[in-house]
Amino acid sequence: MAIVLVTWLIAGILDAGAALGFFLARGNRKPGMLFQYIASAVVGPAAFQGGSRMAVLGLCLHFGIALCWVGLYFAVWPWVASWGMGVFFDAVIYGVFVWCAMNLVVVPLSRAKPRPLTFV
């Protein structure tokens, strides 16, 4: 159980850091808006008027989603490990699967405003 929690924290922190890095690199000046966007998946456009409360909600949602994906990874790990492809390969394939599921299924079905799909 501890390995799941440690993996969850590592995945959540690294993903949030990468997302913030890309967000800021695109010229956005308010990092809280990234997490407000995540909150808008549940709250809708009103999340952008909610200030720091909505940013905190978005951060909590981010880590909740990360916990779900990490839990699923550990649930399917015994089956995937039997393929004998190696941990690194398995993690990369799972990362691509999660990215596709989030960007092609979860986000479009949420209340978040649609945005252009980019691969960077």
Side-chain angles (χ1 to χ4, degrees):
M1 182 62 153
I3 189 74
V4 174
L5 295 178
V6 170
T7 304
W8 162 60
L9 288 174
I10 291 170
I13 290 168
L14 289 177
D15 185 57
L20 280 170
F22 282 118
F23 187 77
L24 295 172
R26 289 184 178 160
N28 296 299
R29 300 284 178 231
K30 298 180 181 178
M33 285 184 63
L34 173 65
F35 295 105
Q36 287 174 328
Y37 179 77
I38 295 170
S40 75
V42 174
V43 178
F48 294 102
Q49 313 311 319
S52 60
R53 286 180 47 220
M54 287 296 130
V56 170
L57 174 62
L59 185 63
C60 291
L61 289 169
H62 167 77
F63 275 95
I65 292 166
L67 181 59
C68 292
W69 286 116
V70 167
L72 180 63
Y73 183 78
F74 277 95
V76 301
W77 171 251
W79 178 64
V80 172
S82 70
W83 298 347
M85 301 299 282
V87 174
F88 181 76
F89 179 79
D90 298 341
V92 169
I93 295 301
Y94 190 70
V96 170
F97 167 75
V98 170
W99 184 90
C100 289
M102 290 300 297
N103 286 283
L104 301 175
V105 179
V106 176
V107 172
L109 292 175
S110 75
R111 295 182 66 194
K113 180 183 174 190
R115 59 184 185 90
L117 181 65
T118 61
F119 294 96
V120 178

